[in-house]
Amino acid sequence: MGKSNQLNTLLVEIMIAVLFFALSSTVVLQTFVVTRNQSREAAVYDTALMEAQNIADRLYVSGDYEAALEQAGFTQDDQGWTLPQEDYELRVTAEKEATAAGVLLTAEVSAYHKDEALLTLPCVRYLPGEVQP
């Protein structure tokens, strides 16, 4: 009887060890999945930020923002200009305001991921004109 009791105890200890390692591997696997998702989201944000900065720079340099946006591949709709990408969408709202001394170009470049705003960059440029008395 003593040998059978020792065998049962050994079997229970092995089952507890297997259960412990299975539970540990589940926790580690969940941790890796969460970090991978966070890494993907950070990569999307980083790519969207760089592209939004490039578009804002183009708008600042260009005197005609409509031509610059069309050249970049944007399409115009009711809300402004949009450029869908694989993981995000860029939206630009721009307007011109004529003043006595020139034209004020104002634009906002926004990036959206799954209809959630990631970032918004303002872009303002003043084009001086002839001063009218």
Side-chain angles (χ1 to χ4, degrees):
M1 267 257 209
K3 192 170 187 174
S4 175
N5 197 12
Q6 287 178 347
L7 199 58
N8 288 340
T9 304
L10 180 63
L11 185 60
V12 168
E13 288 176 356
I14 290 174
M15 286 175 44
I16 289 173
V18 168
L19 180 65
F20 172 76
F21 286 117
L23 184 62
S24 297
S25 65
T26 302
V27 169
V28 168
L29 186 63
Q30 285 178 348
T31 304
F32 283 137
V33 167
V34 168
T35 56
R36 182 172 182 238
N37 289 340
Q38 287 177 345
S39 175
R40 280 186 177 177
E41 289 175 7
V44 167
Y45 181 82
D46 187 43
T47 306
L49 176 62
M50 288 191 314
E51 188 66 27
Q53 286 175 334
N54 289 339
I55 296 300
D57 288 342
R58 279 187 186 184
L59 293 176
Y60 183 76
V61 170
S62 173
D64 184 12
Y65 68 84
E66 291 175 348
L69 291 172
E70 285 178 2
Q71 185 181 19
F74 282 81
T75 56
Q76 190 173 15
D77 58 11
D78 296 339
Q79 299 175 356
W81 297 81
T82 59
L83 178 65
Q85 297 291 344
E86 187 175 329
D87 294 323
Y88 58 92
E89 179 180 76
L90 291 176
R91 297 180 192 164
V92 176
T93 55
E95 58 185 45
K96 291 181 182 179
E97 181 181 337
T99 64
V103 177
L104 182 65
L105 301 174
T106 307
E108 275 192 352
V109 181
S110 302
Y112 290 86
H113 177 66
K114 298 179 182 175
D115 291 330
E116 179 182 331
L118 294 176
L119 57 99
T120 299
L121 297 176
C123 180
V124 178
R125 182 171 182 203
Y126 185 74
L127 301 172
E130 291 184 20
V131 178
Q132 299 176 5

